[in-house]
Amino acid sequence: MSTLKIAIQKSGRLNEDSIQILKDCGISINNGNDQLKASASNFPLEVLYLRNSDIPQYLIDGVVDAAIVGDNLLVEKGKNIEVAEKLGFSKCKVSVAVPKNFQYNSVKDLDGLRIATSYPNTVLDFFNSKNVTVDLHQISGSVEIAPNIGLADAIVDIVSSGSTLFKNNLKEVEVIFKSEAVLAISPKITTENKAILNKLQFRIQSVLRARKSKYILMNVPNDKIELINKILPVLKSPTVMPLAQEGWSSVHTVIEEDRFWDVIDQLKEAGAEGILVCPIEKMVL
């Protein structure tokens, strides 16, 4: 039987989140300390732990069939690689930052200046699109210190919380694009392995839907059920079951996380009581 080879980051936050989503998909990975390759015991999957910046080339060459990788790396090194699924974690921005005392009005203020970055292709594409010429300094690691040591006038780097910029006396002035972890596919994946990937993607989609939703149960007066139904953003229709107390029913449904509190407020105003909220482990449609 064929085995799907998937690459994930060797270490760091993206590594932890990648392993977690595979576990949430019911995949048991037999990996020990410092292993560069590990197999799943209950799914035709082999995980390769690779340096993050190398993953796009492994996809292009067909060494791996798929990867969980930051979208920012695909923009930089693998624009033609297909993205099968956005995964919703490891979110960040690729941004332009300058020293706090830099009087910045527009991207034109950077014309002719020195830009330090680990993303040369992304930087050149961005500034060329703005008709701005920059002096590019490609470095790896600790990009944020470049202005402080006189290497560059500004930087382009990934930004999450912004704390690293703050510590290095920098400010974000342009967001080139927003990035997150994605499930990417090698252009050389075989038909057999694509079928395995489709099964994995189905599991991932079920996990992601569950992460974005809450299961709620509430007690509702029977004469308020129609009003409650109009409020609820449900998949099809809520489950309604009579309670032992005459004139009341228990209503069960699913609410999306980003609408949760607004909907809860409306339900309370409409007469719902005893609202119980439960997490959802999987959500298969």
Side-chain angles (χ1 to χ4, degrees):
M1 184 178 180
S2 184
T3 300
L4 182 74
K5 293 183 178 180
I6 185 169
I8 66 173
Q9 187 179 25
K10 185 178 179 181
S11 60
R13 179 63 182 275
L14 183 53
N15 166 275
E16 296 170 6
D17 290 338
S18 300
I19 291 174
Q20 185 61 54
I21 198 168
L22 292 176
K23 287 182 178 179
D24 290 346
C25 288
I27 297 173
S28 179
I29 303 168
N30 303 316
N31 63 309
N33 292 333
D34 300 322
Q35 275 188 293
L36 298 180
K37 186 169 67 172
S39 298
S41 60
N42 58 351
F43 193 82
L45 182 75
E46 186 176 71
V47 178
L48 277 71
Y49 300 94
L50 304 174
R51 193 170 66 172
N52 206 32
S53 59
D54 292 339
I55 291 177
Q57 193 61 50
Y58 276 75
L59 285 166
I60 292 169
D61 293 341
V63 177
V64 295
D65 302 301
I68 297 177
V69 64
D71 194 27
N72 56 298
L73 277 178
L74 297 185
V75 171
E76 175 65 22
K77 296 185 174 183
K79 288 185 177 180
N80 296 324
I81 295 174
E82 179 185 352
V83 172
E85 195 78 37
K86 292 188 174 183
L87 302 178
F89 56 81
S90 294
K91 292 186 176 182
C92 64
K93 298 173 286 185
V94 177
S95 300
V96 182
V98 299
K100 288 182 179 178
N101 59 4
F102 189 105
Q103 297 299 314
Y104 186 88
N105 297 302
S106 75
V107 70
K108 295 291 185 182
D109 294 334
L110 300 174
D111 194 30
L113 299 187
R114 300 167 299 167
I115 307 293
T117 187
S118 300
Y119 299 92
N121 296 325
T122 301
V123 170
L124 290 177
D125 286 347
F126 173 72
F127 284 107
N128 287 341
S129 71
K130 303 294 184 181
N131 293 316
V132 172
T133 301
V134 296
D135 181 11
L136 187 66
H137 287 250
Q138 183 178 350
I139 57 177
S140 58
S142 302
V143 174
E144 63 278 355
I145 70 170
N148 292 331
I149 62 176
L151 179 64
D153 302 296
I155 68 167
V156 172
D157 202 10
I158 57 172
V159 177
S160 296
S161 65
S163 61
T164 302
L165 294 183
F166 180 80
K167 290 176 184 177
N168 286 276
N169 205 32
L170 300 173
K171 61 183 179 182
E172 181 183 67
V173 293
E174 297 282 345
V175 176
I176 297 178
F177 65 88
K178 295 180 179 179
S179 174
E180 64 183 272
V182 298
L183 177 65
I185 307 174
S186 168
K188 295 185 178 181
I189 190 171
T190 64
T191 301
E192 189 174 6
N193 282 358
K194 184 65 162 63
I196 299 173
L197 180 65
N198 289 340
K199 292 181 180 180
L200 174 61
Q201 188 178 355
F202 175 78
R203 295 190 185 193
I204 288 174
Q205 289 171 344
S206 299
V207 169
L208 294 179
R209 278 193 294 265
R211 288 180 178 181
K212 296 175 182 177
S213 304
K214 297 292 185 184
Y215 188 83
I216 66 168
L217 306 83
M218 71 199 89
N219 298 330
V220 179
N222 289 342
D223 61 355
K224 299 291 186 180
I225 290 177
E226 185 176 350
L227 176 59
I228 293 291
N229 284 349
K230 292 179 180 179
I231 296 171
L232 293 174
V234 295
L235 298 175
K236 288 187 178 179
S237 62
T239 300
V240 180
M241 296 183 292
L243 294 176
Q245 183 177 346
E246 187 175 349
W248 285 78
S249 293
S250 177
V251 177
H252 301 205
T253 191
V254 173
I255 297 180
E256 292 179 357
E257 182 76 47
D258 58 1
R259 300 183 58 188
F260 178 78
W261 288 111
D262 288 339
V263 173
I264 291 296
D265 289 341
Q266 294 178 53
L267 292 174
K268 289 181 63 180
E269 291 177 5
E273 298 180 6
I275 301 173
L276 179 64
V277 183
C278 305
I280 302 173
E281 185 175 332
K282 306 288 188 300
M283 195 165 155
V284 181
L285 299 181

